[in-house]
Amino acid sequence: REERYVGPRTPTEEVLAGIWAEVLKVERVGVTESFFDLGGHSLRATQVVLRARQAFAVELPLRALFEAPTVAGLAGRIEALRNVGAALAPPIERVPRDEPLPLSFAQQRLWLVDRLEPGSPAYNVPHALRLRGALDTRALRASLDELVRRHETLRTTFAERGEEPVQVIHAPAPVELEELDLREQPSPERETAAERLAAQEAMRPFDLACGPLLRCTLLRLADDDQVLLFTLHHIVSDGWSRGVLVREVSALYGACSRGEESRLPELPVQYADFAVWQRNWLTGDVLEAQIGYWKARLAGAPPLLEVPTDRPRLPGRSARAESHGFRIPSRVSERLRELSRREGTTLFMTLLAGWQALLARYAGQDDVVVGSPIAGRSRREVEGLIGFFVNMLALRTDLAGDPTWMELLGRVRGATLGALDHQELPFERLVDELSVERSLTHSPVFQTVFTLDVVDGEGEQLELGGLGLEPFGRSEHAAKFDLDLLFADAGGELDAALVYRAALFDAETIARMAGHLQVVLEALAADPARRISEVSLLREGERAQLLAGSRAEPPEQAPACVHELVAAQAARTPGARAVAGRSRALGYAELERRSSQLAHLLRSRGVGPETRVGICLERDVEMLVAVLGVLKAGGAYVPLDPSYPAERLAYTLADSGAFLLVSRGHLLETMPVLEAEAVCLDRDEQAIGAQPDVAPESGAGPRNAAYVVYTSGSTGRPKGVVVEHAALANTLLAARETFGPAPGEVTPALASYAF
């Protein structure tokens, strides 16, 4: 660095270099050194931009730092913005308290959620701290009282004025600190009791109209061992606020225990001032620009990420969350960091790319939308406030075309930077603008969330006077989303947790998913030039387990095609009933004879391997005769449900390329104009009956098409799916082995055979 160091040359560079040094916690910064090579990441980039906006009075976008990651480059961007008069958004200022105060957009959404589900713990924000040492309870109470005096949100409730909710800010009052003494219980039981009480407190509901929305509980386990429980409602707090709360209580307790006055500076504004500022600023052209970007960005996005679940989505299911912890080893983590620096991304973007690639594989979708929380403190005035500022960004990535990992990183980088540049639009307002169909079984826009927390090297070694602080217990909370992936980066290995909705997923499923994510990230780190389709999710142990427990081929000497399986059964039990329907029942010998005769007629009309033949018949024994007839002729049948609309039937026939149609006279009369030739089972009955009753040589093998079935088309045009004989035979043999039907037992065919 000494050899490469080039000092600032202009006033703009001088100020920027000072900002960088402050944020990066280094002594000096050269104008040609990369922000990210010096340890910069997304959060620090946000801090640099906030300070630069204030210092130069220009609306500097976060993207500018990624595109010009040196002091010299960013200084040039700032000068260009000054020259075109890119004005800064107005500052947040204090407003009078003599009028009803509105809620922020985020608060209004949670207020509405609470009206729909009163008392739900889904938006409780618990935080439990272990206090080691002799506690001064008087100093703790005084510090909590001062904290609540400083932050109006902690003494705010929510009422209705007319049809609109408003904030009601109460005068400062002593905080109720509930004390529970567990010291008389035996030592092992104390710990268990403390964990149980912490879990219960975390899930205890709030009343937004009555408050208080901050609860404090002290559990005494020993004279020098306590647990302090903070529980807040999300409407007055977020993850950033938790850090503010702990830092300020620590500083205030230290001063109170020493008999000193608080040295914390008075807050420049309060949360209510921010709410008024947000509603006044986010209007007109500013609002339209934000809405326009997000509408274009999310146009046509899939409403649901179809990750397979262990149980169906049902309204009213428990919102209980469970968590699976895992780690990414240092050797892999360091490669991912190096890849991020080389490709001009951040570790956040690189990990997100791996997560979205895995979700795409699980869901079978190339279009993946993942939510990510952002601090939402885009104005420096609010950095020290406790309040609900966090916003959710919808990060949509296109994985079509089987990109390489590097290509995918570029796509994720562009999507992330675009979202960060338009982060001011509250997610709640975005959902309203998109007119998303609401569901009681899944969240709108996205159902899975990704977060990366960066833990600075010095960490938060907080103390409460002479007491040591450490987290306590297992976090107990409700699941807001189906899947929530959290990474913590402390510079070495990456700690991770996959939080999931227990009503949807089993613990084994989530553990397997976490393992697959580790495989994906290892592959990304090892060879970013590979295509994502080339990565197998299975490690050798899992691959061996699956292969040992599966049958990739039908049992040895078993027939490879379904019509051969039926023929073999007919040879064993010719007189046994094979199929029964509304009109009649057929034994195996009769089913074989009739389907073989139809097969000969179809062969004479040109049917052979890979030929598509439409079948439009009602659900009766004739339908099964036709299916077997087509298969014996070597063709692939295309099922057509006569109850479907005529346009659907015409489209399926044309799209499949079927040149022949098997049906009955009364059904043909209702069909659209056909280009395909028709074989009519009633009108052509004599011609069919004159054919040989021994099956022809089909010419079809295991890899030939057996049938073509069409999707519903609910998300676009229906698509034909070709199923081979081997796949169908394997499925039926596996079903027979798994369910073991005994002679004489029957299976009802309830669904449409076109489904």
Side-chain angles (χ1 to χ4, degrees), residues 560-561 563-564 603 608-610 630-636 697-706 725:
C561 298
H563 59 275
E564 294 172 348
R603 293 284 286 184
E610 301 302 323
V630 173
L631 296 178
K632 288 183 175 183
E697 191 67 37
S698 72
R703 293 302 174 193
N704 286 117
H725 279 278

Side-chain angles (χ1 to χ4, degrees), residues 253-563:
Y253 177 89
C256 290
S257 62
R258 294 188 299 268
E260 300 172 357
E261 292 293 326
S262 168
R263 297 180 182 178
L264 294 177
E266 283 299 313
L267 298 168
V269 294
Q270 293 284 341
Y271 188 86
D273 304 313
F274 163 78
V276 173
W277 173 88
Q278 183 191 54
R279 290 187 174 270
N280 290 338
W281 177 66
L282 206 57
T283 57
D285 293 341
V286 174
L287 178 61
E288 290 305 314
Q290 294 272 333
I291 291 174
Y293 169 83
W294 285 109
K295 279 188 171 182
R297 181 65 191 157
L298 296 175
L304 181 65
L305 185 66
E306 299 281 2
V307 172
T309 60
D310 294 308
R311 284 169 290 282
R313 302 172 182 275
L314 296 174
R317 276 275 176 92
S318 168
R320 182 173 60 87
E322 293 289 348
S323 178
H324 173 81
F326 60 102
R327 286 179 174 174
I328 307 300
S330 297
R331 57 179 177 80
V332 178
S333 302
E334 190 50 46
R335 285 183 180 178
L336 293 171
R337 293 187 186 94
E338 176 56 35
L339 173 63
S340 302
R341 288 190 289 267
R342 194 168 63 244
E343 295 300 316
T345 66
T346 62
L347 184 61
F348 172 92
M349 299 173 190
T350 302
L351 294 172
L352 175 61
W355 179 228
Q356 290 186 308
L358 180 67
L359 292 172
R361 184 80 66 89
Y362 264 68
Q365 296 174 212
D366 288 335
D367 194 351
V368 177
V369 183
V370 169
S372 185
I374 188 168
R377 299 178 187 243
S378 57
R379 296 293 171 264
R380 197 172 180 189
E381 304 99 298
V382 301
E383 281 188 342
L385 291 183
I386 293 175
F388 184 21
F389 294 92
V390 67
N391 196 15
M392 297 297 294
L393 299 183
L395 303 177
R396 181 184 187 185
T397 298
D398 176 15
L399 293 96
D402 193 17
T404 64
W405 284 113
M406 287 190 293
E407 290 170 342
L408 179 60
L409 282 175
R411 297 180 188 182
V412 172
R413 180 182 186 273
T416 304
L417 292 179
L420 290 172
D421 282 345
H422 298 85
Q423 63 175 281
E424 300 292 352
L425 185 69
F427 179 71
E428 300 72 25
R429 184 65 183 269
L430 170 63
V431 173
D432 292 340
E433 291 292 337
L434 292 176
S435 300
V436 176
E437 183 178 348
R438 300 284 186 166
S439 172
L440 295 176
T441 62
H442 65 267
S443 56
V445 185
F446 48 78
Q447 296 78 46
T448 179
V449 170
F450 173 77
T451 307
L452 171 65
D453 287 331
V454 179
V455 182
D456 287 332
E458 66 273 10
E460 288 207 27
Q461 301 299 326
L462 296 176
E463 294 183 350
L464 208 61
L467 282 72
L469 298 187
E470 60 188 60
F472 173 78
R474 176 175 171 271
S475 178
E476 189 78 22
H477 58 275
K480 302 178 184 66
F481 302 95
D482 296 349
L483 294 167
D484 190 349
L485 177 63
L486 303 100
F487 275 102
D489 178 20
E493 62 186 6
L494 293 167
D495 288 323
L498 189 50
V499 181
Y500 59 96
R501 195 182 294 272
L504 292 181
F505 298 99
D506 292 332
E508 295 81 4
T509 300
I510 297 302
R512 188 165 55 249
M513 180 181 288
H516 290 161
L517 179 61
Q518 290 172 294
V519 172
V520 166
L521 294 176
E522 288 172 11
L524 169 58
D527 188 2
R530 292 175 68 188
R531 297 195 177 277
I532 58 176
S533 65
E534 296 172 359
V535 177
S536 171
L537 298 181
L538 305 181
R539 297 190 189 276
E540 286 305 315
E542 191 174 10
R543 181 187 298 276
Q545 180 184 4
L546 287 175
L547 291 178
S550 66
R551 292 182 180 272
E553 297 294 337
E556 189 175 354
Q557 298 182 345
C561 298
V562 172
H563 59 275

Side-chain angles (χ1 to χ4, degrees), residues 616-742:
C616 184
L617 290 168
E618 293 158 331
R619 188 164 55 194
D620 204 348
V621 296
E622 299 293 351
M623 179 265 288
L624 188 58
V625 169
V627 166
L628 283 172
V630 173
L631 296 178
K632 288 183 175 183
Y637 70 91
V638 181
L640 301 162
D641 190 323
S643 67
Y644 283 5
E647 295 81 0
R648 165 81 182 216
L649 299 178
Y651 170 79
T652 303
L653 276 173
D655 187 71
S656 67
F659 78 99
L660 199 64
L661 174 66
V662 178
S663 188
R664 298 184 68 85
H666 71 283
L667 295 175
L668 287 173
E669 293 172 0
T670 64
M671 293 283 286
V673 178
L674 298 175
E675 296 183 6
E677 181 184 349
V679 172
C680 187
L681 294 183
D682 45 2
R683 295 174 190 171
D684 295 331
E685 184 176 7
Q686 289 188 346
I688 296 171
Q691 301 297 320
D693 57 7
V694 178
E697 191 67 37
S698 72
R703 293 302 174 193
N704 286 117
Y707 64 94
V708 181
V709 67
Y710 275 74
T711 62
S712 67
S714 59
T715 59
R717 295 170 67 86
K719 299 176 181 63
V721 179
V722 179
V723 179
E724 297 177 346
H725 279 278
L728 181 57
N730 276 350
T731 299
L732 294 177
L733 289 171
R736 184 177 69 183
E737 182 176 333
T738 302
F739 302 111

Side-chain angles (χ1 to χ4, degrees), residues 13-136:
E13 291 177 352
E14 187 75 40
V15 174
L16 267 183
I19 291 173
W20 282 29
E22 176 191 351
V23 171
L24 295 170
K25 297 179 174 62
V26 296
E27 289 186 10
R28 61 180 187 176
V29 175
V31 297
T32 60
E33 292 183 288
S34 169
F35 176 78
F36 300 103
D37 287 346
L38 293 173
H41 47 70
S42 298
L43 180 57
R44 286 178 169 173
T46 301
Q47 292 173 328
V48 165
V49 168
L50 287 181
R51 285 155 175 76
R53 285 174 178 171
Q54 188 176 46
F56 301 107
V58 293
E59 194 65 29
L60 181 69
L62 185 62
R63 176 188 293 269
L65 182 53
F66 284 86
E67 294 174 345
T70 65
V71 167
L74 191 61
R77 295 293 183 95
I78 291 172
E79 292 299 332
L81 289 170
R82 285 170 130 180
N83 291 335
V84 298
L88 190 66
I92 301 174
E93 297 177 342
R94 283 188 173 270
V95 298
R97 299 297 194 258
D98 52 1
E99 295 288 338
L101 295 166
L103 279 60
S104 68
F105 292 113
Q107 284 183 321
Q108 185 158 343
R109 172 175 171 267
L110 289 197
W111 182 82
L112 289 170
V113 168
D114 185 74
R115 298 297 295 271
L116 294 173
E117 299 180 73
S120 169
Y123 290 94
N124 286 12
V125 182
H127 189 43
L129 291 172
R130 191 80 173 248
L131 312 181
R132 304 282 192 180
L135 176 68
D136 183 344

